[in-house]
Amino acid sequence: MKKTFFYNFIPSKAEEEACKASNTPWVVTRQLIEIQDIYPPPVLDLKNPWQIKKTVTYDETIIGKLVLPFIEVSEHVFRYWTLDMANLVVLGHKVNVSLWDVTEENNPKKYDSNYFEIFPNDDYALVCLDLYKDRGLSVDDEIGLYWDPRSSTFVFK
């Protein structure tokens, strides 16, 4: 199911009266909801599964976080997650995730001390300090990443 934000711009009568009574302005709220999508989630092409491709930036190397744009996360990650799990991230919680590094195809390495979080600008971050250290990721490195719904893990190359 596709996830999208629902914005509540117009208060209900009860909410409007509560704001008048407390002399506070109405604050627009948003929540993540699931919608029926006419298109199924993208099928994982096992020959070229790298749905999220990016170049590592200077800031990412300093903080040890891979910054992922909102649109790519909602299309290639959240579509496979439950609404509750996606909501945890959207509400500001850090969600533990596993990551497989398959750069060396004959010797994949699993990292379990990673987490997924949201930034104030609605982009997301995959925090993977051990991966940065072990791989020696640096500025302008090109990487590929995807969420594997079969194993519920991120896969990195």
Side-chain angles (χ1 to χ4, degrees), residues 89-100:
V89 176
V90 168
L91 294 174
H93 299 281
K94 296 175 180 177
V95 174
N96 291 326
V97 292
S98 293
L99 178 130
W100 281 97

Side-chain angles (χ1 to χ4, degrees), residues 24-43:
T24 57
W26 168 251
V27 177
V28 175
T29 58
R30 76 173 185 178
Q31 74 182 82
L32 192 67
I33 61 170
E34 275 185 325
I35 60 172
Q36 187 71 35
D37 193 10
I38 59 174
Y39 302 107
V43 177

Side-chain angles (χ1 to χ4, degrees), residues 100-114:
W100 281 97
D101 177 4
V102 296
T103 305
E104 299 171 17
E105 293 177 11
N106 296 334
N107 188 21
K109 185 171 182 183
K110 187 174 185 182
Y111 295 91
D112 285 320
S113 60
N114 313 295

Side-chain angles (χ1 to χ4, degrees), residues 112-126:
D112 285 320
S113 60
N114 313 295
Y115 58 90
F116 202 63
E117 67 181 355
I118 190 170
F119 283 142
N121 67 352
D122 285 341
D123 282 342
Y124 296 87
L126 176 59

Side-chain angles (χ1 to χ4, degrees), residues 27-70:
V27 177
V28 175
T29 58
R30 76 173 185 178
Q31 74 182 82
L32 192 67
I33 61 170
E34 275 185 325
I35 60 172
Q36 187 71 35
D37 193 10
I38 59 174
Y39 302 107
V43 177
L44 196 60
D45 177 8
L46 296 177
K47 294 179 183 166
N48 186 18
W50 313 108
Q51 297 171 323
I52 302 172
K53 296 177 183 174
K54 67 179 286 77
T55 303
V56 177
T57 66
Y58 174 76
D59 293 336
E60 290 171 323
T61 59
I62 297 299
I63 62 176
K65 300 177 181 183
L66 291 172
V67 179
L68 307 173
F70 169 82

